[in-house]
Amino acid sequence: MTTSPPRAAATTTAWTALITDYYNGCTDGDVDLMMRTLHPDVVHWFLTPNTGSRAVVGAEHLARYWRKVTRMIDARWVVESICATPEQAVIEWTMWWTPDGDIERVATRGAEWFTGEDGLIREIRSYYQIRPANTELDGFPYAERGYSVAGREHSVIHPDADSHQAGSVQ
């Protein structure tokens, strides 16, 4: 079955809004905002051997987990690109953060696969390696493609933290 372009655009728009609200909640440590985006039985899977790579289960547990992480490392997540169907979405993202004892922000770039249920995020599968240095594709033209870069922690599709309006998920 082929999806018509208008429906595909609406699907991508809906997923983009849901996922950016989720990441705005993560960035702000806003448990209530994250909870409005997450299915009660959400599961977040992590790539090993990252610290804390065990799956996190349940909306409240996951929201509190990200609030704790944000406070520890001053994290800001940016959605860089997205491909979506009604049932699932795949994104590229960047987490800007400050390693312990450092003053310079680093970029951890990764990808995540989301599934949905009842209009909420049901599962997240994360693919990245966290290091206390930038993890990026060698030579990739991030700035030219509208991705976030040092000093500009927002992208073409995920606006600056000062301009986002939390709670836009309906």
Side-chain angles (χ1 to χ4, degrees):
M1 178 171 164
T2 304
T3 302
S4 66
R7 182 169 174 215
T11 295
T12 299
T13 299
W15 270 109
T16 300
L18 181 67
I19 293 169
T20 56
D21 275 355
Y22 166 69
Y23 280 121
N24 289 339
C26 292
T27 296
D28 294 342
D30 185 336
V31 170
D32 292 333
L33 177 55
M34 285 183 272
M35 295 281 292
R36 289 193 299 270
T37 68
L38 299 170
H39 187 278
D41 299 319
V42 67
V43 178
H44 192 306
W45 301 94
F46 295 92
L47 191 65
T48 61
N50 287 326
T51 301
S53 58
R54 286 197 175 119
V56 177
V57 179
E60 187 170 352
H61 187 197
L62 183 58
R64 291 183 187 284
Y65 172 87
W66 286 126
R67 181 177 65 187
K68 179 181 176 181
V69 168
T70 296
R71 289 176 177 170
M72 288 176 18
I73 62 173
D74 189 26
R76 163 138 177 74
W77 285 265
V78 178
V79 178
E80 306 285 7
S81 66
I82 184 168
C83 295
T85 69
E87 298 80 24
Q88 57 193 357
V90 178
I91 68 164
E92 287 180 295
W93 57 263
T94 302
M95 179 182 67
W96 293 94
W97 63 288
T98 308
D100 190 31
D102 210 337
I103 58 168
E104 197 167 314
R105 310 260 300 151
V106 299
T108 296
R109 301 206 190 256
E112 289 185 330
W113 195 292
F114 290 79
T115 63
E117 186 176 323
D118 301 326
L120 300 168
I121 298 167
R122 179 63 174 89
E123 181 179 65
I124 306 167
R125 299 189 304 267
S126 292
Y127 299 94
Y128 69 94
Q129 288 289 305
I130 192 135
R131 303 279 187 257
N134 290 333
T135 56
E136 300 181 314
L137 298 172
D138 189 26
F140 186 80
Y142 289 103
E144 293 82 3
R145 301 253 184 118
Y147 285 60
S148 61
V149 293
R152 191 188 78 213
E153 295 182 7
H154 61 276
S155 70
V156 170
I157 66 170
H158 194 164
D160 186 314
D162 295 332
S163 66
H164 82 255
Q165 292 183 319
S168 64
V169 172
Q170 307 268 332

